[in-house]
Amino acid sequence: MIIVHHLEKSRSQRIVWLLEELGVPYEIEHYKRDPNTMLAPESLRRVHPLGKSPVITDGDTVVAESGAIIEYLVEKHGGGRLKPAVDDPNWLNYQYWLHYAEGSLMPLMVMKLIFSRVPKAPMPFFAKPIAKKISGGMVGGFVQPRIEEQLRLVESHLASHTWFAGEALTAADVQMSFPLQAAGARANLDALPHIRDFIQRVEARPAYQRGIERTGPLELLG
Ligand SMILES: N[C@@H](CCC(=O)N[C@@H](CS)C(=O)NCC(=O)O)C(=O)O
């Protein structure tokens, strides 16, 4: 039996969605973040040494890293579904977006989250304005313009593709869903209507809804 080790407020939600799309039986082990540090609990390190979510176990096999988990599930349990064949014109799009989500977009989004938390950390009162200035400068001068550039690329791709790899849902959409949902929760998407529509299409899928029933609604770190 596949077990999804699901950390609250995390990107493991999409693995549950993928399993629902594939119709593969699974169980969920729930983990709570430390309320002060927001880090995963130590118990997750007993599953995989990095203690990050998502991680799945399939019998004695442990698979960590969203992209690797998605490829594992699609290859082992997909029976050719949710992935274009290598000679399909959409295969390269599939590969690109599957890797892009965690390789390019998520690191910038995590960077923004971390910098925006710096001024909230405990520190002497006189250090706060300095911390605010440095972290604000990093977000405004470096991170945010790059996130916006990335989102413009995604928007222009979705303007001419229903799903990331063409007209049919693939696992690349599953991988891309989390950063776009996170972007949508933190910014107004009026200027990015194709991203907004993509998120709506994802969240309307019966398989996505079934996943949410088992994990609870998608919540994000503030
Ligand atoms: N690139 C990894 C990132 C994993 C990751 O950082 N997960 C976060 C949750 S969204 C986590 O476990 N954070 C808790 C911690 O670092 O203690 C993946 O996609 O699997």
Side-chain angles (χ1 to χ4, degrees):
M1 172 66 79
I2 293 173
I3 298 174
V4 181
H5 298 267
H6 172 67
L7 177 66
E8 63 172 339
K9 298 184 181 176
S10 85
R11 54 196 111 177
S12 58
Q13 181 92 43
R14 61 189 161 186
I15 303 301
V16 174
W17 172 32
L18 175 62
L19 285 158
E20 289 289 347
E21 290 285 351
L22 292 172
V24 174
Y26 65 97
E27 282 170 10
I28 301 178
E29 189 101 19
H30 293 267
Y31 296 80
K32 290 228 166 287
R33 289 180 183 268
D34 179 298
N36 296 318
T37 63
M38 297 316 282
L39 294 175
E42 268 310 298
S43 51
L44 203 48
R45 288 185 200 275
R46 290 198 282 276
V47 184
H48 183 275
L50 291 182
K52 302 273 182 212
S53 181
V55 56
I56 64 163
T57 44
D58 186 4
D60 290 336
T61 305
V62 180
V63 193
E65 194 63 51
S66 308
I69 296 169
I70 287 175
E71 295 222 52
Y72 173 88
L73 292 174
V74 167
E75 296 300 335
K76 271 203 103 99
H77 300 278
R81 289 171 299 157
L82 297 187
K83 180 188 173 174
V86 72
D87 55 357
D88 184 310
N90 272 311
W91 180 81
L92 192 53
N93 268 330
Y94 173 79
Q95 282 298 110
Y96 177 76
W97 295 107
L98 187 64
H99 289 273
Y100 164 88
E102 288 295 321
S104 290
L105 187 50
M106 276 310 293
L108 286 168
M109 296 186 66
V110 171
M111 229 184 271
K112 183 176 172 186
L113 188 66
I114 291 170
F115 278 126
S116 63
R117 285 217 203 122
V118 168
K120 296 176 197 153
M123 66 183 82
F125 75 93
F126 57 82
K128 272 221 185 263
I130 303 167
K132 213 170 167 177
K133 187 132 187 76
I134 294 173
S135 61
M138 286 305 289
V139 171
F142 179 84
V143 184
Q144 187 61 25
R146 279 160 183 79
I147 290 180
E148 284 168 14
E149 182 182 41
Q150 302 269 345
L151 292 179
R152 281 197 299 275
L153 173 77
V154 175
E155 175 70 12
S156 75
H157 183 73
L158 287 176
S160 55
H161 298 78
T162 306
W163 297 103
F164 277 95
E167 291 310 300
L169 178 90
T170 68
D173 300 297
V174 175
Q175 181 74 324
M176 282 298 292
S177 62
F178 182 80
L180 296 184
Q181 285 173 306
R186 291 176 187 138
N188 185 324
L189 292 183
D190 284 353
L192 301 166
H194 296 97
I195 294 181
R196 193 189 51 211
D197 292 353
F198 170 83
I199 296 168
Q200 277 171 6
R201 275 199 300 282
V202 165
E203 294 180 352
R205 290 187 71 86
Y208 183 90
Q209 296 288 333
R210 288 196 298 277
I212 288 290
E213 273 165 33
R214 293 191 56 178
T215 56
L218 177 67
E219 289 183 283
L220 297 162
L221 287 180

